[in-house]
Amino acid sequence: MHTHEISNQVPDLRDTNLYTRDLALGEAVQREGAAWHDCTLRSQGELLGSAEMSELADLANRHVPVLHTHDRTGHRIDVVDFHPAWHTLLEQLRHAGLHALPWMQPGDGAHTARAAGYYLHAQVEAGSLCPTTMTFAAIPVLQQEPALFEQLRSRLFSREHDARDLPIPRKRSILVGMGMTEKQGGSDVRSNASIAMPADPLNEGRGHAYLLSGHKWFFSAPMSDAHLMLARTENGLSCFFVPRWLPDGTRNPILIQRLKDKLGNRSNSSSEVEFEEAMGIMVGEDGRGIPTIIEMANHTRLDCVIGSSALMRQALVQAIHHARHRSAFGRLLAEQPIMRGVLADLALESEAATILTMRLAHAFDAADDALQRAWKRIVTPAAKFWICKRAVEFTGECMEVWGGNGYVESGPMARLYREAPVNSIWEGSGNVMCLDVLRAMSREVQGLSLLLLDLDEAASTHPLLQPRVNALKQMLAAPEEEREAGARRLVQQLVLALQGMLMARHAPASSADAFLASRADSDGGRVYGTLGASTLAVQEAILQRAWPHG
């Protein structure tokens, strides 16, 4: 006997092109110099929006990595096993060139093109992006050691994923991870205690072998073929390339103690390791490990911004799709004014995040003038602070649109929500980012002036932007101690001003006005769904732009 008929349940969102239905992203790709990559992105958008890719992402997160420290005879192996879906995801990432595209094909729009592809993949599965990001960010660091880089070039640039656990010379491609933080330090890597001694006292310094002893509290993707690590020599912290295997074909003594039991990012393994005289090659100058690695941090932070913008985009799409198919109190959710206001507000937040992200990626492409350096050096940590933090609240709001159905693991919202906090923590938490923005402003004085001039120009034709620019300038003029105490507020003002400027220039006028007006009073915090005087017609236009019917 049937007790009831199933109705008013929302079908899964499957088989949709994530690129062609994202108008703001497509416009940014054209605007920021990557039109040549449009056809490839269309193909990637179709693949990544398929039911097959969604299933692979689900499998990779349900079947988490498993650590095997020893084989059956008691020999140490330190192997992490992954579900086959994980390797299929890495194959797709590698084939798309997201691990190295701007280094393989340098030129106009290369970083923009790669950012767009990364943004698409991050909407589907975020854990597999971790080793991809680290490999991508490691390449410009490794290029500082030409002899070492030449040995690795073909394997770093390969578009093939090689999952075999073998010495680097026997592999077709490699992944490179990071090992920075230790128990006592976290973000304060200057407190690192791991030491490095020359393997041969007659051959010291960059390009030479050292023996590293110590530990790492967060050792990302331990099955990578090598890691860039910080350890202390007599001259201070230095950077080392530490392979998983030694040249003689034996394992480098990097002992995995356990895998982290993480809130999210569960498809990817993060570990704790100890090492006793593990061999590493010094990269960069002796005692200059932090300056050597800073370029890597700039790229990983950019990827945090891209990834969080993508999480917001996917959460928004799922929320709109749900609201267009779910009825309550006699009407579709999307037809109810209060829900339409929430969704439109979320759509504006997502578009502002997307266009800021793509403009930031363009700065990594553009000529290295003072303005572009300011975007890279000042706006990167600022965007990481704001967008990554907003993603946590944003995904929670989108989950609420789903109601109880959003709070269960069988749907997509729970994983998006659990994934959101990691980008705000990884590569420096909020306070670290805000302090970095202040440091960058003090060093990039000309670039900061050019940023402010750009904002002034935009404000001259968009009066709603002017009060925020004025408030930002007032904060910048405060005494140093006051600026540091209010750094979070200052960085918020900066990012909202830049987003307002970009929305005013590139979004439809009604969307830009709604964004600027609603964010004008947001200094003390706000909730989504407070667009004020915007009309229902404007809100519907915002939603149609965000996720066209089809």
Short mmCIF file of all heavy atoms in Angstrom, two decimals, residues 53-116:
data_model
loop_
_atom_site.label_atom_id
_atom_site.label_comp_id
_atom_site.label_asym_id
_atom_site.label_seq_id
_atom_site.Cartn_x
_atom_site.Cartn_y
_atom_site.Cartn_z
N MET A 53 30.47 14.17 -13.79
CA MET A 53 31.42 14.88 -12.94
C MET A 53 30.88 15.07 -11.53
O MET A 53 31.62 14.98 -10.54
CB MET A 53 31.78 16.23 -13.56
CG MET A 53 32.61 16.12 -14.84
SD MET A 53 34.18 15.24 -14.64
CE MET A 53 35.04 16.34 -13.52
N SER A 54 29.60 15.33 -11.41
CA SER A 54 29.00 15.45 -10.08
C SER A 54 29.12 14.14 -9.30
O SER A 54 29.41 14.14 -8.10
CB SER A 54 27.52 15.84 -10.19
OG SER A 54 27.39 17.14 -10.73
N GLU A 55 28.93 13.03 -10.00
CA GLU A 55 29.06 11.73 -9.35
C GLU A 55 30.49 11.47 -8.91
O GLU A 55 30.74 10.95 -7.82
CB GLU A 55 28.58 10.64 -10.31
CG GLU A 55 28.70 9.22 -9.76
CD GLU A 55 27.78 8.96 -8.58
OE1 GLU A 55 26.82 9.74 -8.39
OE2 GLU A 55 28.03 7.98 -7.85
N LEU A 56 31.45 11.84 -9.76
CA LEU A 56 32.86 11.66 -9.40
C LEU A 56 33.21 12.49 -8.16
O LEU A 56 33.92 12.01 -7.26
CB LEU A 56 33.76 12.07 -10.57
CG LEU A 56 33.78 11.12 -11.77
CD1 LEU A 56 34.50 11.77 -12.94
CD2 LEU A 56 34.44 9.79 -11.40
N ALA A 57 32.73 13.71 -8.11
CA ALA A 57 33.00 14.58 -6.96
C ALA A 57 32.40 13.97 -5.69
O ALA A 57 33.03 13.97 -4.63
CB ALA A 57 32.42 15.97 -7.21
N ASP A 58 31.20 13.44 -5.81
CA ASP A 58 30.55 12.83 -4.65
C ASP A 58 31.33 11.62 -4.17
O ASP A 58 31.57 11.44 -2.96
CB ASP A 58 29.12 12.44 -5.01
CG ASP A 58 28.36 11.89 -3.83
OD1 ASP A 58 28.12 12.65 -2.87
OD2 ASP A 58 28.00 10.69 -3.85
N LEU A 59 31.77 10.78 -5.09
CA LEU A 59 32.52 9.58 -4.73
C LEU A 59 33.84 9.93 -4.05
O LEU A 59 34.23 9.30 -3.06
CB LEU A 59 32.78 8.73 -5.98
CG LEU A 59 31.57 7.98 -6.56
CD1 LEU A 59 31.92 7.40 -7.92
CD2 LEU A 59 31.11 6.89 -5.61
N ALA A 60 34.54 10.92 -4.60
CA ALA A 60 35.84 11.30 -4.05
C ALA A 60 35.73 11.82 -2.62
O ALA A 60 36.67 11.69 -1.83
CB ALA A 60 36.51 12.33 -4.95
N ASN A 61 34.60 12.41 -2.30
CA ASN A 61 34.42 12.96 -0.95
C ASN A 61 33.81 11.95 0.02
O ASN A 61 34.01 12.06 1.23
CB ASN A 61 33.55 14.22 -1.01
CG ASN A 61 34.34 15.43 -1.46
OD1 ASN A 61 34.93 16.13 -0.65
ND2 ASN A 61 34.39 15.66 -2.77
N ARG A 62 33.06 10.98 -0.49
CA ARG A 62 32.49 9.96 0.38
C ARG A 62 33.53 8.89 0.74
O ARG A 62 33.49 8.33 1.83
CB ARG A 62 31.28 9.31 -0.28
CG ARG A 62 30.08 10.24 -0.35
CD ARG A 62 28.83 9.54 -0.85
NE ARG A 62 27.73 10.48 -0.94
CZ ARG A 62 26.98 10.86 0.09
NH1 ARG A 62 27.22 10.37 1.29
NH2 ARG A 62 26.00 11.73 -0.06
N HIS A 63 34.43 8.60 -0.19
CA HIS A 63 35.47 7.60 0.03
C HIS A 63 36.77 8.34 0.28
O HIS A 63 37.56 8.59 -0.63
CB HIS A 63 35.58 6.66 -1.16
CG HIS A 63 34.30 5.93 -1.46
ND1 HIS A 63 33.95 4.76 -0.81
CD2 HIS A 63 33.29 6.21 -2.31
CE1 HIS A 63 32.77 4.35 -1.25
NE2 HIS A 63 32.35 5.21 -2.17
N VAL A 64 37.01 8.71 1.54
CA VAL A 64 38.12 9.60 1.88
C VAL A 64 39.45 8.85 1.80
O VAL A 64 39.49 7.61 1.86
CB VAL A 64 37.91 10.20 3.29
CG1 VAL A 64 36.64 11.03 3.32
CG2 VAL A 64 37.87 9.11 4.35
N PRO A 65 40.57 9.58 1.69
CA PRO A 65 41.88 8.94 1.61
C PRO A 65 42.17 8.09 2.86
O PRO A 65 41.73 8.41 3.97
CB PRO A 65 42.85 10.12 1.52
CG PRO A 65 42.02 11.26 1.02
CD PRO A 65 40.65 11.05 1.57
N VAL A 66 42.93 7.02 2.65
CA VAL A 66 43.28 6.10 3.73
C VAL A 66 44.80 5.97 3.78
O VAL A 66 45.45 5.72 2.76
CB VAL A 66 42.64 4.71 3.51
CG1 VAL A 66 43.09 3.73 4.60
CG2 VAL A 66 41.13 4.82 3.47
N LEU A 67 45.37 6.14 4.97
CA LEU A 67 46.82 6.05 5.17
C LEU A 67 47.24 4.62 5.52
O LEU A 67 46.63 3.98 6.38
CB LEU A 67 47.24 6.99 6.31
CG LEU A 67 48.68 6.87 6.80
CD1 LEU A 67 49.68 7.24 5.71
CD2 LEU A 67 48.89 7.75 8.04
N HIS A 68 48.29 4.15 4.86
CA HIS A 68 48.94 2.89 5.19
C HIS A 68 50.40 3.21 5.51
O HIS A 68 51.18 3.54 4.61
CB HIS A 68 48.86 1.90 4.02
CG HIS A 68 47.46 1.62 3.56
ND1 HIS A 68 46.61 0.78 4.24
CD2 HIS A 68 46.76 2.08 2.50
CE1 HIS A 68 45.44 0.73 3.62
NE2 HIS A 68 45.51 1.52 2.55
N THR A 69 50.74 3.12 6.78
CA THR A 69 52.12 3.46 7.17
C THR A 69 53.09 2.32 6.91
O THR A 69 54.27 2.54 6.66
CB THR A 69 52.18 3.85 8.66
OG1 THR A 69 51.65 2.77 9.44
CG2 THR A 69 51.39 5.12 8.92
N HIS A 70 52.61 1.05 6.98
CA HIS A 70 53.49 -0.11 6.83
C HIS A 70 52.85 -1.14 5.89
O HIS A 70 51.62 -1.20 5.78
CB HIS A 70 53.77 -0.79 8.18
CG HIS A 70 54.49 0.08 9.15
ND1 HIS A 70 53.86 1.09 9.87
CD2 HIS A 70 55.80 0.10 9.54
CE1 HIS A 70 54.74 1.70 10.66
NE2 HIS A 70 55.92 1.10 10.48
N ASP A 71 53.69 -1.94 5.26
CA ASP A 71 53.15 -3.08 4.50
C ASP A 71 52.94 -4.26 5.44
O ASP A 71 53.20 -4.18 6.64
CB ASP A 71 54.05 -3.42 3.31
CG ASP A 71 55.42 -3.95 3.73
OD1 ASP A 71 55.61 -4.29 4.92
OD2 ASP A 71 56.32 -4.01 2.86
N ARG A 72 52.49 -5.39 4.91
CA ARG A 72 52.13 -6.51 5.78
C ARG A 72 53.33 -7.12 6.48
O ARG A 72 53.20 -7.79 7.51
CB ARG A 72 51.40 -7.59 4.97
CG ARG A 72 52.28 -8.34 3.98
CD ARG A 72 51.52 -9.49 3.32
NE ARG A 72 52.43 -10.28 2.50
CZ ARG A 72 53.23 -11.23 2.97
NH1 ARG A 72 53.21 -11.51 4.27
NH2 ARG A 72 54.02 -11.91 2.16
N THR A 73 54.55 -6.90 5.94
CA THR A 73 55.75 -7.46 6.55
C THR A 73 56.41 -6.50 7.53
O THR A 73 57.46 -6.80 8.09
CB THR A 73 56.77 -7.85 5.46
OG1 THR A 73 57.15 -6.68 4.74
CG2 THR A 73 56.17 -8.87 4.50
N GLY A 74 55.80 -5.32 7.73
CA GLY A 74 56.32 -4.39 8.71
C GLY A 74 57.22 -3.31 8.17
O GLY A 74 57.74 -2.49 8.93
N HIS A 75 57.42 -3.28 6.85
CA HIS A 75 58.26 -2.24 6.27
C HIS A 75 57.47 -0.93 6.13
O HIS A 75 56.28 -0.93 5.79
CB HIS A 75 58.77 -2.67 4.88
CG HIS A 75 59.73 -3.81 4.94
ND1 HIS A 75 59.33 -5.12 4.81
CD2 HIS A 75 61.07 -3.83 5.13
CE1 HIS A 75 60.38 -5.91 4.91
NE2 HIS A 75 61.45 -5.16 5.11
N ARG A 76 58.14 0.16 6.37
CA ARG A 76 57.52 1.47 6.29
C ARG A 76 57.26 1.83 4.82
O ARG A 76 58.16 1.75 3.98
CB ARG A 76 58.45 2.53 6.91
CG ARG A 76 57.81 3.88 7.10
CD ARG A 76 57.18 4.05 8.46
NE ARG A 76 56.27 5.18 8.48
CZ ARG A 76 55.81 5.72 9.60
NH1 ARG A 76 56.17 5.24 10.77
NH2 ARG A 76 54.97 6.72 9.55
N ILE A 77 56.01 2.22 4.50
CA ILE A 77 55.69 2.59 3.11
C ILE A 77 55.09 3.98 3.00
O ILE A 77 55.24 4.65 1.98
CB ILE A 77 54.75 1.56 2.44
CG1 ILE A 77 53.47 1.37 3.28
CG2 ILE A 77 55.47 0.23 2.24
CD1 ILE A 77 52.43 0.48 2.61
N ASP A 78 54.34 4.44 4.02
CA ASP A 78 53.77 5.80 4.03
C ASP A 78 53.03 6.10 2.73
O ASP A 78 53.34 7.05 2.01
CB ASP A 78 54.87 6.83 4.28
CG ASP A 78 55.50 6.68 5.65
OD1 ASP A 78 54.84 7.02 6.63
OD2 ASP A 78 56.64 6.17 5.73
N VAL A 79 52.01 5.31 2.47
CA VAL A 79 51.21 5.44 1.25
C VAL A 79 49.79 5.86 1.61
O VAL A 79 49.21 5.34 2.57
CB VAL A 79 51.19 4.11 0.47
CG1 VAL A 79 50.13 4.13 -0.62
CG2 VAL A 79 52.56 3.82 -0.13
N VAL A 80 49.25 6.78 0.85
CA VAL A 80 47.85 7.19 1.02
C VAL A 80 47.07 6.71 -0.20
O VAL A 80 47.42 7.03 -1.34
CB VAL A 80 47.72 8.72 1.16
CG1 VAL A 80 46.25 9.11 1.35
CG2 VAL A 80 48.56 9.23 2.31
N ASP A 81 46.03 5.92 0.06
CA ASP A 81 45.19 5.40 -1.02
C ASP A 81 44.00 6.33 -1.25
O ASP A 81 43.39 6.82 -0.30
CB ASP A 81 44.66 4.00 -0.66
CG ASP A 81 45.67 2.91 -0.95
OD1 ASP A 81 46.59 3.16 -1.75
OD2 ASP A 81 45.53 1.82 -0.37
N PHE A 82 43.66 6.51 -2.53
CA PHE A 82 42.53 7.35 -2.93
C PHE A 82 41.54 6.54 -3.75
O PHE A 82 41.92 5.58 -4.43
CB PHE A 82 42.99 8.54 -3.78
CG PHE A 82 43.86 9.53 -3.05
CD1 PHE A 82 45.24 9.33 -2.95
CD2 PHE A 82 43.32 10.65 -2.45
CE1 PHE A 82 46.04 10.23 -2.29
CE2 PHE A 82 44.12 11.56 -1.78
CZ PHE A 82 45.48 11.35 -1.70
N HIS A 83 40.29 6.96 -3.72
CA HIS A 83 39.28 6.38 -4.59
C HIS A 83 39.63 6.71 -6.05
O HIS A 83 40.17 7.78 -6.33
CB HIS A 83 37.89 6.93 -4.23
CG HIS A 83 36.77 6.23 -4.91
ND1 HIS A 83 36.35 6.57 -6.18
CD2 HIS A 83 35.98 5.19 -4.51
CE1 HIS A 83 35.33 5.78 -6.53
NE2 HIS A 83 35.09 4.94 -5.53
N PRO A 84 39.34 5.82 -6.99
CA PRO A 84 39.63 6.12 -8.40
C PRO A 84 39.04 7.44 -8.89
O PRO A 84 39.59 8.08 -9.80
CB PRO A 84 39.02 4.92 -9.14
CG PRO A 84 39.06 3.81 -8.15
CD PRO A 84 38.83 4.45 -6.81
N ALA A 85 37.93 7.87 -8.29
CA ALA A 85 37.32 9.14 -8.71
C ALA A 85 38.28 10.30 -8.50
O ALA A 85 38.30 11.26 -9.29
CB ALA A 85 36.02 9.39 -7.94
N TRP A 86 39.08 10.25 -7.44
CA TRP A 86 40.06 11.29 -7.16
C TRP A 86 41.03 11.43 -8.33
O TRP A 86 41.33 12.54 -8.79
CB TRP A 86 40.80 10.96 -5.87
CG TRP A 86 42.05 11.74 -5.61
CD1 TRP A 86 43.34 11.34 -5.88
CD2 TRP A 86 42.16 13.05 -5.01
NE1 TRP A 86 44.24 12.31 -5.49
CE2 TRP A 86 43.54 13.36 -4.95
CE3 TRP A 86 41.24 13.96 -4.53
CZ2 TRP A 86 44.01 14.56 -4.43
CZ3 TRP A 86 41.71 15.15 -4.01
CH2 TRP A 86 43.07 15.45 -3.95
N HIS A 87 41.52 10.32 -8.81
CA HIS A 87 42.50 10.36 -9.90
C HIS A 87 41.84 10.81 -11.21
O HIS A 87 42.48 11.49 -12.01
CB HIS A 87 43.15 8.99 -10.06
CG HIS A 87 44.01 8.61 -8.88
ND1 HIS A 87 45.16 9.30 -8.56
CD2 HIS A 87 43.86 7.65 -7.94
CE1 HIS A 87 45.70 8.77 -7.48
NE2 HIS A 87 44.94 7.77 -7.08
N THR A 88 40.59 10.48 -11.41
CA THR A 88 39.89 10.96 -12.60
C THR A 88 39.75 12.48 -12.56
O THR A 88 39.91 13.17 -13.58
CB THR A 88 38.51 10.30 -12.72
OG1 THR A 88 38.66 8.88 -12.74
CG2 THR A 88 37.81 10.73 -14.01
N LEU A 89 39.46 13.01 -11.39
CA LEU A 89 39.37 14.46 -11.23
C LEU A 89 40.72 15.12 -11.51
O LEU A 89 40.80 16.16 -12.19
CB LEU A 89 38.89 14.82 -9.82
CG LEU A 89 37.44 14.48 -9.51
CD1 LEU A 89 37.19 14.51 -8.00
CD2 LEU A 89 36.49 15.44 -10.22
N LEU A 90 41.80 14.53 -11.00
CA LEU A 90 43.14 15.09 -11.26
C LEU A 90 43.49 14.98 -12.73
O LEU A 90 44.18 15.86 -13.28
CB LEU A 90 44.18 14.37 -10.40
CG LEU A 90 44.17 14.72 -8.91
CD1 LEU A 90 45.22 13.91 -8.17
CD2 LEU A 90 44.42 16.21 -8.69
N GLU A 91 43.04 13.92 -13.39
CA GLU A 91 43.28 13.80 -14.83
C GLU A 91 42.62 14.96 -15.58
O GLU A 91 43.21 15.54 -16.50
CB GLU A 91 42.73 12.47 -15.34
CG GLU A 91 43.56 11.26 -14.96
CD GLU A 91 42.87 9.96 -15.32
OE1 GLU A 91 41.73 10.02 -15.87
OE2 GLU A 91 43.44 8.89 -15.04
N GLN A 92 41.39 15.30 -15.18
CA GLN A 92 40.70 16.39 -15.85
C GLN A 92 41.41 17.72 -15.61
O GLN A 92 41.59 18.53 -16.53
CB GLN A 92 39.25 16.45 -15.34
CG GLN A 92 38.31 17.25 -16.23
CD GLN A 92 38.46 18.75 -16.05
OE1 GLN A 92 38.73 19.23 -14.95
NE2 GLN A 92 38.28 19.51 -17.13
N LEU A 93 41.83 17.96 -14.37
CA LEU A 93 42.55 19.19 -14.04
C LEU A 93 43.84 19.30 -14.82
O LEU A 93 44.20 20.37 -15.33
CB LEU A 93 42.83 19.23 -12.54
CG LEU A 93 41.67 19.60 -11.63
CD1 LEU A 93 41.94 19.15 -10.21
CD2 LEU A 93 41.45 21.10 -11.66
N ARG A 94 44.54 18.21 -14.90
CA ARG A 94 45.83 18.20 -15.59
C ARG A 94 45.63 18.43 -17.10
O ARG A 94 46.36 19.21 -17.73
CB ARG A 94 46.51 16.86 -15.35
CG ARG A 94 47.98 16.84 -15.63
CD ARG A 94 48.77 17.19 -14.40
NE ARG A 94 50.17 17.43 -14.71
CZ ARG A 94 51.12 17.50 -13.79
NH1 ARG A 94 50.83 17.36 -12.51
NH2 ARG A 94 52.37 17.74 -14.14
N HIS A 95 44.64 17.76 -17.66
CA HIS A 95 44.37 17.91 -19.09
C HIS A 95 44.00 19.35 -19.42
O HIS A 95 44.37 19.87 -20.48
CB HIS A 95 43.24 16.97 -19.51
CG HIS A 95 42.87 17.07 -20.95
ND1 HIS A 95 43.68 16.60 -21.96
CD2 HIS A 95 41.78 17.61 -21.56
CE1 HIS A 95 43.11 16.83 -23.14
NE2 HIS A 95 41.96 17.45 -22.92
N ALA A 96 43.29 20.01 -18.49
CA ALA A 96 42.90 21.41 -18.70
C ALA A 96 44.06 22.38 -18.49
O ALA A 96 43.93 23.57 -18.77
CB ALA A 96 41.75 21.77 -17.78
N GLY A 97 45.19 21.88 -18.02
CA GLY A 97 46.37 22.73 -17.82
C GLY A 97 46.29 23.64 -16.61
O GLY A 97 47.06 24.60 -16.51
N LEU A 98 45.40 23.34 -15.66
CA LEU A 98 45.22 24.25 -14.54
C LEU A 98 46.37 24.20 -13.55
O LEU A 98 46.45 25.03 -12.65
CB LEU A 98 43.90 23.94 -13.82
CG LEU A 98 42.64 24.05 -14.70
CD1 LEU A 98 41.39 23.83 -13.88
CD2 LEU A 98 42.58 25.39 -15.41
N HIS A 99 47.27 23.26 -13.72
CA HIS A 99 48.46 23.16 -12.88
C HIS A 99 49.61 24.02 -13.37
O HIS A 99 50.58 24.22 -12.65
CB HIS A 99 48.93 21.70 -12.84
CG HIS A 99 49.43 21.22 -14.17
ND1 HIS A 99 48.59 21.08 -15.27
CD2 HIS A 99 50.67 20.89 -14.62
CE1 HIS A 99 49.30 20.67 -16.31
NE2 HIS A 99 50.55 20.54 -15.94
N ALA A 100 49.52 24.55 -14.63
CA ALA A 100 50.70 25.23 -15.18
C ALA A 100 50.44 26.11 -16.39
O ALA A 100 51.40 26.59 -17.01
CB ALA A 100 51.76 24.18 -15.56
N LEU A 101 49.19 26.36 -16.75
CA LEU A 101 48.88 27.02 -18.03
C LEU A 101 49.69 28.30 -18.28
O LEU A 101 50.29 28.44 -19.35
CB LEU A 101 47.38 27.30 -18.12
CG LEU A 101 46.91 27.96 -19.42
CD1 LEU A 101 47.19 27.06 -20.61
CD2 LEU A 101 45.42 28.28 -19.34
N PRO A 102 49.74 29.27 -17.35
CA PRO A 102 50.48 30.50 -17.67
C PRO A 102 51.98 30.29 -17.82
O PRO A 102 52.66 31.11 -18.45
CB PRO A 102 50.18 31.41 -16.46
CG PRO A 102 48.94 30.85 -15.86
CD PRO A 102 49.05 29.38 -16.06
N TRP A 103 52.52 29.22 -17.22
CA TRP A 103 53.95 28.95 -17.35
C TRP A 103 54.22 28.19 -18.65
O TRP A 103 55.28 28.37 -19.26
CB TRP A 103 54.46 28.14 -16.16
CG TRP A 103 53.87 28.55 -14.84
CD1 TRP A 103 53.26 27.75 -13.92
CD2 TRP A 103 53.83 29.87 -14.27
NE1 TRP A 103 52.82 28.47 -12.83
CE2 TRP A 103 53.16 29.77 -13.01
CE3 TRP A 103 54.28 31.12 -14.70
CZ2 TRP A 103 52.94 30.87 -12.18
CZ3 TRP A 103 54.05 32.22 -13.87
CH2 TRP A 103 53.40 32.09 -12.64
N MET A 104 53.27 27.36 -19.08
CA MET A 104 53.42 26.63 -20.33
C MET A 104 53.15 27.51 -21.55
O MET A 104 53.79 27.37 -22.59
CB MET A 104 52.47 25.42 -20.37
CG MET A 104 52.78 24.34 -19.35
SD MET A 104 51.77 22.85 -19.62
CE MET A 104 50.12 23.47 -19.34
N GLN A 105 52.15 28.38 -21.43
CA GLN A 105 51.74 29.23 -22.54
C GLN A 105 51.71 30.69 -22.09
O GLN A 105 50.65 31.31 -22.04
CB GLN A 105 50.36 28.83 -23.04
CG GLN A 105 50.25 27.43 -23.58
CD GLN A 105 48.81 27.07 -23.91
OE1 GLN A 105 48.28 26.07 -23.46
NE2 GLN A 105 48.17 27.90 -24.72
N PRO A 106 52.86 31.25 -21.73
CA PRO A 106 52.86 32.65 -21.27
C PRO A 106 52.39 33.58 -22.37
O PRO A 106 52.66 33.37 -23.55
CB PRO A 106 54.33 32.89 -20.90
CG PRO A 106 55.11 31.88 -21.68
CD PRO A 106 54.22 30.68 -21.80
N GLY A 107 51.66 34.60 -21.98
CA GLY A 107 51.16 35.56 -22.96
C GLY A 107 49.92 36.24 -22.43
O GLY A 107 49.48 36.02 -21.30
N ASP A 108 49.35 37.08 -23.27
CA ASP A 108 48.18 37.87 -22.86
C ASP A 108 47.04 36.96 -22.41
O ASP A 108 46.64 36.04 -23.12
CB ASP A 108 47.71 38.74 -24.02
CG ASP A 108 48.71 39.83 -24.38
OD1 ASP A 108 49.59 40.10 -23.55
OD2 ASP A 108 48.60 40.40 -25.48
N GLY A 109 46.54 37.24 -21.24
CA GLY A 109 45.36 36.54 -20.76
C GLY A 109 45.59 35.14 -20.22
O GLY A 109 44.61 34.44 -19.90
N ALA A 110 46.83 34.71 -20.06
CA ALA A 110 47.08 33.33 -19.64
C ALA A 110 46.59 33.08 -18.22
O ALA A 110 45.95 32.06 -17.93
CB ALA A 110 48.57 33.01 -19.75
N HIS A 111 46.86 34.01 -17.31
CA HIS A 111 46.38 33.84 -15.94
C HIS A 111 44.86 33.97 -15.87
O HIS A 111 44.20 33.27 -15.09
CB HIS A 111 47.03 34.88 -15.02
CG HIS A 111 48.42 34.51 -14.58
ND1 HIS A 111 48.67 33.62 -13.57
CD2 HIS A 111 49.63 34.91 -15.04
CE1 HIS A 111 49.98 33.49 -13.41
NE2 HIS A 111 50.58 34.26 -14.29
N THR A 112 44.30 34.85 -16.68
CA THR A 112 42.85 35.00 -16.73
C THR A 112 42.20 33.71 -17.21
O THR A 112 41.21 33.24 -16.64
CB THR A 112 42.46 36.17 -17.65
OG1 THR A 112 43.06 37.37 -17.18
CG2 THR A 112 40.95 36.34 -17.71
N ALA A 113 42.76 33.13 -18.28
CA ALA A 113 42.22 31.89 -18.83
C ALA A 113 42.28 30.77 -17.80
O ALA A 113 41.32 30.02 -17.59
CB ALA A 113 42.99 31.49 -20.09
N ARG A 114 43.41 30.66 -17.13
CA ARG A 114 43.57 29.62 -16.12
C ARG A 114 42.62 29.86 -14.94
O ARG A 114 42.03 28.92 -14.41
CB ARG A 114 45.03 29.61 -15.66
CG ARG A 114 45.39 28.45 -14.75
CD ARG A 114 45.50 28.91 -13.31
NE ARG A 114 45.78 27.82 -12.40
CZ ARG A 114 45.80 27.94 -11.09
NH1 ARG A 114 45.54 29.11 -10.53
NH2 ARG A 114 46.03 26.90 -10.32
N ALA A 115 42.46 31.12 -14.52
CA ALA A 115 41.55 31.43 -13.42
C ALA A 115 40.12 31.03 -13.76
O ALA A 115 39.39 30.50 -12.90
CB ALA A 115 41.62 32.91 -13.08
N ALA A 116 39.70 31.26 -14.99
CA ALA A 116 38.34 30.90 -15.39
C ALA A 116 38.14 29.39 -15.35
O ALA A 116 37.11 28.90 -14.87
CB ALA A 116 38.05 31.44 -16.78
#
